[in-house]
PDB file of all heavy atoms in Angstrom:
ATOM      1  N   ILE A 397      92.318 118.004  92.389  1.00 95.00           N
ATOM      2  CA  ILE A 397      91.664 119.305  92.230  1.00 95.00           C
ATOM      3  C   ILE A 397      92.122 120.231  93.354  1.00 95.00           C
ATOM      4  O   ILE A 397      92.129 119.850  94.528  1.00 95.00           O
ATOM      5  CB  ILE A 397      90.132 119.166  92.253  1.00 95.00           C
ATOM      6  CG1 ILE A 397      89.647 118.471  90.987  1.00 95.00           C
ATOM      7  CG2 ILE A 397      89.453 120.514  92.416  1.00 95.00           C
ATOM      8  CD1 ILE A 397      88.173 118.173  90.986  1.00 95.00           C
ATOM      9  N   LEU A 417      84.260 115.018  96.648  1.00 96.00           N
ATOM     10  CA  LEU A 417      85.500 115.723  96.320  1.00 96.00           C
ATOM     11  C   LEU A 417      86.617 115.215  97.233  1.00 96.00           C
ATOM     12  O   LEU A 417      87.588 115.903  97.491  1.00 96.00           O
ATOM     13  CB  LEU A 417      85.308 117.233  96.482  1.00 96.00           C
ATOM     14  CG  LEU A 417      84.351 117.876  95.490  1.00 96.00           C
ATOM     15  CD1 LEU A 417      83.931 119.255  95.948  1.00 96.00           C
ATOM     16  CD2 LEU A 417      84.976 117.932  94.114  1.00 96.00           C
ATOM     17  N   ARG A 418      86.474 114.013  97.697  1.00 97.00           N
ATOM     18  CA  ARG A 418      87.387 113.374  98.660  1.00 97.00           C
ATOM     19  C   ARG A 418      88.798 113.258  98.085  1.00 97.00           C
ATOM     20  O   ARG A 418      88.985 113.030  96.903  1.00 97.00           O
ATOM     21  CB  ARG A 418      86.851 111.996  98.988  1.00 97.00           C
ATOM     22  CG  ARG A 418      87.742 111.161  99.868  1.00 97.00           C
ATOM     23  CD  ARG A 418      87.138 109.789 100.091  1.00 97.00           C
ATOM     24  NE  ARG A 418      86.085 109.809 101.071  1.00 97.00           N
ATOM     25  CZ  ARG A 418      86.286 109.657 102.380  1.00 97.00           C
ATOM     26  NH1 ARG A 418      87.490 109.472 102.842  1.00 97.00           N
ATOM     27  NH2 ARG A 418      85.277 109.690 103.215  1.00 97.00           N
ATOM     28  N   SER A 419      89.769 113.431  98.961  1.00 98.00           N
ATOM     29  CA  SER A 419      91.184 113.197  98.647  1.00 98.00           C
ATOM     30  C   SER A 419      91.683 114.020  97.461  1.00 98.00           C
ATOM     31  O   SER A 419      92.304 113.503  96.538  1.00 98.00           O
ATOM     32  CB  SER A 419      91.437 111.703  98.396  1.00 98.00           C
ATOM     33  OG  SER A 419      91.121 110.956  99.548  1.00 98.00           O
ATOM     34  N   ASN A 420      91.403 115.295  97.498  1.00 96.00           N
ATOM     35  CA  ASN A 420      91.952 116.242  96.533  1.00 96.00           C
ATOM     36  C   ASN A 420      92.880 117.187  97.294  1.00 96.00           C
ATOM     37  O   ASN A 420      93.350 116.859  98.378  1.00 96.00           O
ATOM     38  CB  ASN A 420      90.826 116.994  95.811  1.00 96.00           C
ATOM     39  CG  ASN A 420      90.197 116.158  94.724  1.00 96.00           C
ATOM     40  OD1 ASN A 420      90.852 115.793  93.760  1.00 96.00           O
ATOM     41  ND2 ASN A 420      88.922 115.841  94.876  1.00 96.00           N
ATOM     42  N   PHE A 421      93.124 118.347  96.728  1.00 95.00           N
ATOM     43  CA  PHE A 421      94.002 119.327  97.368  1.00 95.00           C
ATOM     44  C   PHE A 421      93.263 120.647  97.589  1.00 95.00           C
ATOM     45  O   PHE A 421      93.839 121.714  97.438  1.00 95.00           O
ATOM     46  CB  PHE A 421      95.265 119.544  96.530  1.00 95.00           C
ATOM     47  CG  PHE A 421      96.105 118.310  96.395  1.00 95.00           C
ATOM     48  CD1 PHE A 421      96.200 117.655  95.194  1.00 95.00           C
ATOM     49  CD2 PHE A 421      96.778 117.801  97.495  1.00 95.00           C
ATOM     50  CE1 PHE A 421      96.964 116.507  95.071  1.00 95.00           C
ATOM     51  CE2 PHE A 421      97.550 116.648  97.382  1.00 95.00           C
ATOM     52  CZ  PHE A 421      97.640 115.999  96.162  1.00 95.00           C
ATOM     53  N   LEU A 422      91.987 120.555  97.938  1.00 92.00           N
ATOM     54  CA  LEU A 422      91.203 121.757  98.203  1.00 92.00           C
ATOM     55  C   LEU A 422      91.707 122.397  99.484  1.00 92.00           C
ATOM     56  O   LEU A 422      91.926 121.726 100.496  1.00 92.00           O
ATOM     57  CB  LEU A 422      89.723 121.409  98.318  1.00 92.00           C
ATOM     58  CG  LEU A 422      89.103 120.872  97.026  1.00 92.00           C
ATOM     59  CD1 LEU A 422      87.711 120.321  97.302  1.00 92.00           C
ATOM     60  CD2 LEU A 422      89.060 121.944  95.963  1.00 92.00           C
ATOM     61  N   ASP A 446      80.948 115.125 100.264  1.00 96.00           N
ATOM     62  CA  ASP A 446      82.102 114.491 100.891  1.00 96.00           C
ATOM     63  C   ASP A 446      83.351 115.309 100.577  1.00 96.00           C
ATOM     64  O   ASP A 446      83.793 115.374  99.435  1.00 96.00           O
ATOM     65  CB  ASP A 446      82.250 113.065 100.366  1.00 96.00           C
ATOM     66  CG  ASP A 446      83.382 112.298 101.027  1.00 96.00           C
ATOM     67  OD1 ASP A 446      84.116 112.880 101.861  1.00 96.00           O
ATOM     68  OD2 ASP A 446      83.533 111.104 100.702  1.00 96.00           O
ATOM     69  N   LEU A 447      83.906 115.939 101.607  1.00 94.00           N
ATOM     70  CA  LEU A 447      85.106 116.764 101.480  1.00 94.00           C
ATOM     71  C   LEU A 447      86.265 116.191 102.290  1.00 94.00           C
ATOM     72  O   LEU A 447      87.257 116.874 102.531  1.00 94.00           O
ATOM     73  CB  LEU A 447      84.811 118.195 101.951  1.00 94.00           C
ATOM     74  CG  LEU A 447      83.769 118.961 101.156  1.00 94.00           C
ATOM     75  CD1 LEU A 447      83.382 120.247 101.869  1.00 94.00           C
ATOM     76  CD2 LEU A 447      84.274 119.243  99.756  1.00 94.00           C
ATOM     77  N   ALA A 448      86.167 114.949 102.683  1.00 96.00           N
ATOM     78  CA  ALA A 448      87.192 114.327 103.521  1.00 96.00           C
ATOM     79  C   ALA A 448      88.549 114.299 102.819  1.00 96.00           C
ATOM     80  O   ALA A 448      88.633 114.273 101.596  1.00 96.00           O
ATOM     81  CB  ALA A 448      86.778 112.907 103.884  1.00 96.00           C
ATOM     82  N   ASP A 449      89.581 114.310 103.627  1.00 96.00           N
ATOM     83  CA  ASP A 449      90.963 114.179 103.142  1.00 96.00           C
ATOM     84  C   ASP A 449      91.357 115.277 102.161  1.00 96.00           C
ATOM     85  O   ASP A 449      91.973 115.011 101.123  1.00 96.00           O
ATOM     86  CB  ASP A 449      91.196 112.804 102.523  1.00 96.00           C
ATOM     87  CG  ASP A 449      90.983 111.675 103.530  1.00 96.00           C
ATOM     88  OD1 ASP A 449      91.340 111.862 104.699  1.00 96.00           O
ATOM     89  OD2 ASP A 449      90.431 110.641 103.144  1.00 96.00           O
ATOM     90  N   ASN A 450      90.998 116.503 102.481  1.00 94.00           N
ATOM     91  CA  ASN A 450      91.462 117.682 101.768  1.00 94.00           C
ATOM     92  C   ASN A 450      92.264 118.514 102.755  1.00 94.00           C
ATOM     93  O   ASN A 450      92.571 118.043 103.856  1.00 94.00           O
ATOM     94  CB  ASN A 450      90.280 118.469 101.175  1.00 94.00           C
ATOM     95  CG  ASN A 450      89.804 117.897  99.872  1.00 94.00           C
ATOM     96  OD1 ASN A 450      90.419 118.083  98.842  1.00 94.00           O
ATOM     97  ND2 ASN A 450      88.690 117.158  99.911  1.00 94.00           N
ATOM     98  N   GLN A 451      92.595 119.717 102.387  1.00 90.00           N
ATOM     99  CA  GLN A 451      93.392 120.593 103.248  1.00 90.00           C
ATOM    100  C   GLN A 451      92.607 121.856 103.589  1.00 90.00           C
ATOM    101  O   GLN A 451      93.162 122.938 103.652  1.00 90.00           O
ATOM    102  CB  GLN A 451      94.701 120.931 102.547  1.00 90.00           C
ATOM    103  CG  GLN A 451      95.501 119.700 102.213  1.00 90.00           C
ATOM    104  CD  GLN A 451      96.624 119.967 101.238  1.00 90.00           C
ATOM    105  OE1 GLN A 451      96.860 121.091 100.826  1.00 90.00           O
ATOM    106  NE2 GLN A 451      97.325 118.925 100.855  1.00 90.00           N
ATOM    107  N   LEU A 452      91.317 121.706 103.813  1.00 88.00           N
ATOM    108  CA  LEU A 452      90.428 122.851 104.023  1.00 88.00           C
ATOM    109  C   LEU A 452      90.697 123.555 105.343  1.00 88.00           C
ATOM    110  O   LEU A 452      90.852 122.923 106.382  1.00 88.00           O
ATOM    111  CB  LEU A 452      88.972 122.402 103.971  1.00 88.00           C
ATOM    112  CG  LEU A 452      88.510 121.922 102.615  1.00 88.00           C
ATOM    113  CD1 LEU A 452      87.135 121.277 102.724  1.00 88.00           C
ATOM    114  CD2 LEU A 452      88.481 123.057 101.622  1.00 88.00           C
TER     115      LEU A 452
END
Side-chain angles (χ1 to χ4, degrees):
I397 290 174
L417 293 164
R418 175 182 282 272
S419 299
N420 281 297
F421 297 110
L422 295 170
D446 183 357
L447 297 169
D449 299 323
N450 278 283
Q451 301 166 3
L452 293 170

